[in-house]
Amino acid sequence: MTRFEYDDSDVVVVVGSGAGGGTVANELCQRGFRTVVLEAGPHLTGPDYHQDEWPAFAQMAWGDTRTTSGSWQVATDFPNLPAWLVKAVGGTTTHWAGACPRFKAHEFTARSTYGDVDGASLLDWPIALSELEPYYDKAEIKMGVTHRHGRPPLPANNNYKVFANGAEKLGYRYYSTGPYATNAEPYDGRPATLQDGFNFQGDKHGSKWSTLVAELPKAEKTGNLDLRPESHVAQIEHDAAGRATGVLYIDRNGTLRRQRAAVVVVAGNSIETPRLLLLSGSAQHPDGLANSSGQVGRNYMRHTTGTVWGQFDKPVRMWRGETMAGVIADESRLDTDRGFVGGYYMETISLGPAFLAKFIAPGRWGSHISDLLDGYRNTAGMWIVGEDMPRADNRITLSGDVTDQHGLPVANVHFDDHPNDVAMRTHGQRQGASVYKAVGAHKTIETPPYPSTHNLGTCRMSQRPRDGVVDRFGRAHDVPNLFVADGSVFTTGAAANPTLTIVALATRQAEYIATELAKTL
Amino acid sequence: MGSSLLSAQDRQTLVNVVYAAFPHSTFPRGPYERAADAVIAEAGNDPRFLAQLLQGLVDLDAQRDAPFAELDAETAGAVLRGADGAPFLTSIVNSAVVTLYSDPEVWDLLGYEGPSYDRGGYVDRGFDDLDWLPDPKIEFEEEVPAS
């Protein structure tokens, strides 16, 4: 186990060990840079995980208090749980399902393509798809994404059979079992899937790509990684010249530590990253670090989501197999004639009885709930995930009165649905129900959004410093050696599940940091 | 765990409340009793909830000529709907929805198989055994961008 000194001022400090942080850390370690990863959560591994939804949730989820406001239904249904993220080594890559669509070219130019949408703060990305394509390739090879670069597809599971047959009957064409970052056959030292389900509860077998089983162990082998779990960063420090000098963090014993750094990379997901920047205000940065634009925390996006369940006369057993290894891409197309801009994917999903009962109609009870559960064995499920509109006032702020166990103000997540989001959700749920009815569903049920799993856009990338927080490489406009490596850099959300793009951007960023650092060290 | 303030009769009423909230005619009483006991354990650690629970059960008994536990399922359901939104009932439901549907006996009754890793997952145990629809294509095809 490598250990660097607190006063080593030439290390790179990475805050967070998920898709962005874990990837940047490994890429830098491979290039010989000494890297300290500070992870707020514990180091759980395969044997620790529970294939039981509530114990798994209690073990893995970021359960520290957050507050909510705004008109979104999550604020009513789950007022202190706006997001379903992981607090553990590997971050939310230990919880993600594995769906890996790429962004489309037009999704990098949302403002130009969709125009001036009323009530939205759309902006074009400062990069184009063509610049990211080589890194999408690298990310897909790194993650072993099925259907890509010679990796075989995952086979059809029961939930997919219902979904795909419905898609075919409805006239959809672009349905498949992937791309998906779980091994259909052994790859990169990790085994093929056992089709054991529980994609959201960690992966006991290690066949799903995560930074826990792939990036961090590889980084560790270089001898350049100092991974410190249960280390909660409270503040980023800077000098009079405006460069970040290190971080203050609370270690597992509750002691405040200072780790000096040459470069600080923040990757705490789109709620904790802006929270940390806002907590790092100073005389030089009175509104929070790297926030001269006032954009830190703004333009919070969570994807337009919803779930559709279909119940049939015959068994489906949707819980067997890879949870999200099924996608219909037809509705992700560029087509603004549907009553909304942006596109969406339909993806298979499954919940166990415990989560289904809780989430199918939050807070509701009675025979209409128990009747649905009686049909559990014969239920198929799909998730709708599409591009939502950034809004300046959908934002992360520091709570004025609620603090966490360390005494730090918690994040408040404010979100109002944009009419475009509502129109897309309505369309998606109607199309989803049609998919199931096409293959004989006698009942379809629409479930409102869960606590957000795709949290995006609170430190967005922009060409002009006044429009966003970071530049085309994720470097803070205001602080030259401060980077953001998670989904909060997304200028707009696109329709695709974000992890692949986070990994591609992080891979590209690490290359850039390595080049820049080599000049200064 | 449980409070001495809750009588055996209160517990029976609570079991019936959980049943009325999540009525499954095929379930035995056992899972409902376990869910009610979990509610009682929670109340034992939360004096405010316990106080609301004690009063709430009294209130339910007063809704009809007979105590709540003696009402037929339909009437019990109607009485409970009348109390929807009362804090004691919300707390009961929030607890029971977790306990009841995390109960292995309930999983069995619903046909759910629970943890699978120790049995080798479903790769050789029917992850693809659905036979009432044809086998669909699985290959990914790149979408044609809009012209």
Side-chain angles (χ1 to χ4, degrees):
Chain A
M1 201 70 109
T2 306
R3 189 64 208 248
F4 301 123
E5 298 298 320
Y6 294 123
D7 285 332
D8 272 339
S9 57
D10 63 342
V11 304
V12 177
V13 163
V14 179
V15 182
S17 65
T23 299
V24 165
N26 183 31
E27 293 291 326
L28 289 173
C29 287
Q30 297 298 332
R31 289 173 171 83
F33 293 96
R34 307 190 319 150
T35 305
V36 175
V37 174
L38 300 172
E39 165 55 52
H43 197 158
L44 306 171
T45 61
D48 298 321
Y49 293 135
H50 303 296
Q51 291 198 329
D52 190 349
E53 290 171 315
W54 286 112
F57 181 83
Q59 177 188 51
M60 297 171 66
W62 187 289
D64 300 3
T65 299
R66 289 167 174 150
T67 58
T68 50
S69 55
S71 63
W72 59 326
Q73 196 174 331
V74 169
T76 304
D77 293 342
F78 308 98
N80 295 119
L81 189 73
W84 183 0
L85 299 169
V86 173
K87 185 178 181 179
V89 172
T92 304
T93 66
T94 63
H95 156 84
W96 82 307
C100 280
R102 290 185 178 195
F103 282 22
K104 299 171 194 293
H106 74 269
E107 291 173 324
F108 288 94
T109 57
R111 174 65 181 78
S112 303
T113 305
Y114 305 146
D116 183 14
V117 176
D118 195 36
S121 51
L122 287 167
L123 186 70
D124 289 352
W125 288 60
I127 55 172
L129 174 62
S130 55
E131 291 172 79
L132 205 54
E133 272 171 342
Y135 298 95
Y136 270 137
D137 287 336
K138 285 178 204 264
E140 287 162 353
I141 291 165
K142 179 195 283 290
M143 299 160 84
V145 175
T146 60
H147 300 266
R148 304 274 199 190
H149 311 288
R151 304 261 61 75
L154 282 158
N157 62 32
N158 292 338
N159 202 20
Y160 177 76
K161 286 185 184 181
V162 177
F163 177 80
N165 275 286
E168 177 69 29
K169 281 247 168 78
L170 214 60
Y172 284 143
R173 175 174 171 188
Y174 300 106
Y175 61 87
S176 69
T177 59
Y180 202 75
T182 289
N183 291 343
E185 63 179 19
Y187 177 75
D188 200 29
R190 292 179 290 109
T193 176
L194 291 175
Q195 301 285 357
D196 56 333
F198 296 100
N199 283 200
F200 302 149
Q201 283 75 35
D203 175 18
K204 294 181 84 68
H205 202 48
S207 51
K208 173 177 76 175
W209 177 88
S210 67
T211 53
L212 175 73
V213 298
E215 303 311 301
L216 295 168
K218 288 179 185 178
E220 194 131 47
K221 281 195 188 118
T222 66
N224 292 321
L225 176 70
D226 177 348
L227 172 63
R228 302 181 197 164
E230 296 172 74
S231 300
H232 187 108
V233 178
Q235 193 160 327
I236 301 165
E237 298 186 299
H238 67 83
D239 60 19
R243 292 181 64 86
T245 54
V247 301
L248 296 171
Y249 71 96
I250 298 137
D251 75 7
R252 67 181 70 207
N253 301 315
T255 306
L256 191 70
R257 300 284 184 188
R258 169 179 286 129
Q259 177 61 54
R260 296 195 182 279
V263 172
V264 175
V265 180
V266 186
N269 208 303
S270 299
I271 297 176
E272 292 306 312
T273 290
R275 179 185 178 214
L276 178 57
L277 296 180
L278 294 172
L279 284 170
S280 301
S282 66
Q284 208 178 93
H285 295 268
D287 299 322
L289 190 61
N291 194 23
S292 66
S293 63
Q295 293 288 317
V296 169
R298 291 189 184 274
N299 312 302
Y300 169 69
M301 295 171 284
R302 57 170 322 270
H303 272 156
T304 297
T305 65
T307 308
V308 181
W309 310 97
Q311 294 199 321
F312 299 85
D313 294 329
K314 294 174 181 158
V316 178
R317 298 188 177 91
M318 64 174 170
W319 62 88
R320 294 182 179 178
E322 289 295 327
T323 306
M324 207 167 263
V327 59
I328 300 170
D330 294 69
E331 299 288 358
S332 68
R333 69 186 185 274
L334 173 58
D335 172 7
T336 53
D337 291 337
R338 288 171 293 182
F340 52 88
V341 302
Y344 64 86
Y345 291 92
M346 303 174 188
E347 296 169 350
T348 55
I349 197 169
S350 168
L351 298 177
F355 271 17
L356 189 67
K358 177 73 181 177
F359 291 109
I360 197 162
R364 305 276 298 280
W365 49 270
S367 56
H368 56 289
I369 302 295
S370 51
D371 287 351
L372 294 175
L373 268 295
D374 279 333
Y376 180 73
R377 184 190 347 227
N378 300 359
T379 304
M382 75 166 78
W383 196 49
I384 310 292
V385 54
E387 179 166 15
D388 62 334
M389 291 296 102
R391 314 188 80 175
D393 291 335
N394 284 349
R395 64 189 291 202
I396 311 304
T397 54
L398 298 179
S399 169
D401 50 4
V402 183
T403 55
D404 68 8
Q405 64 273 35
H406 307 300
L408 304 169
V410 305
N412 182 71
V413 183
H414 180 92
F415 192 88
D416 295 315
D417 280 312
H418 188 280
N420 196 77
D421 307 346
V422 177
M424 181 187 286
R425 178 178 301 119
T426 302
H427 189 275
Q429 293 193 316
R430 190 181 68 229
Q431 292 302 111
S434 299
V435 165
Y436 287 141
K437 282 175 186 157
V439 280
H442 59 73
K443 190 190 283 184
T444 58
I445 305 108
E446 296 167 5
T447 290
Y450 309 118
S452 315
T453 51
H454 298 175
N455 298 272
L456 306 167
T458 54
C459 296
R460 71 180 181 181
M461 205 180 258
S462 66
Q463 190 66 46
R464 297 183 305 193
R466 69 169 187 252
D467 294 331
V469 179
V470 299
D471 72 6
R472 51 197 283 106
F473 290 103
R475 180 207 290 252
H477 287 304
D478 296 344
V479 183
N481 62 338
L482 175 66
F483 290 79
V484 178
D486 56 30
S488 58
V489 304
F490 284 20
T491 309
T492 52
N497 308 60
T499 301
L500 176 72
T501 301
I502 293 172
V503 173
L505 287 169
T507 303
R508 176 171 167 275
Q509 179 180 78
E511 200 176 278
Y512 179 77
I513 293 173
T515 308
E516 292 297 295
L517 257 186
K519 290 180 198 161
T520 58
L521 288 180
Chain B
M1 297 281 283
S3 162
S4 59
L5 298 177
L6 271 164
S7 68
Q9 184 54 48
D10 289 334
R11 177 175 178 270
Q12 290 310 313
T13 302
L14 186 57
V15 174
N16 284 38
V17 169
V18 176
Y19 179 84
F22 301 104
H24 292 272
S25 57
T26 57
F27 288 10
R29 204 164 166 84
Y32 291 109
E33 289 174 342
R34 290 190 284 277
D37 287 342
V39 171
I40 291 169
E42 244 173 75
N45 295 321
D46 183 345
R48 173 72 176 149
F49 174 31
L50 179 59
Q52 289 171 333
L53 180 61
L54 288 163
Q55 184 62 48
L57 294 176
V58 170
D59 291 348
L60 287 179
D61 274 343
Q63 297 306 306
R64 295 289 188 275
D65 291 337
F68 185 84
E70 291 171 20
L71 302 176
D72 61 74
E74 199 177 321
T75 311
V79 168
L80 211 58
R81 282 192 294 281
D84 191 16
F88 88 98
L89 184 55
T90 300
S91 298
I92 292 172
V93 166
N94 285 346
S95 168
V97 73
V98 171
T99 315
L100 185 66
Y101 295 108
S102 295
D103 189 313
E105 187 180 353
V106 164
W107 290 349
D108 215 36
L109 289 159
L110 296 177
Y112 175 64
E113 296 161 290
S116 72
Y117 188 68
D118 291 344
R119 292 188 284 164
Y122 296 103
V123 67
D124 299 319
R125 295 192 309 123
F127 79 97
D128 60 351
D129 66 356
L130 185 145
D131 59 5
W132 49 272
L133 287 167
D135 284 337
K137 79 171 173 82
I138 58 173
E139 289 75 23
F140 173 78
E141 185 185 350
E142 202 71 56
E143 300 136 73
V144 182
S147 52

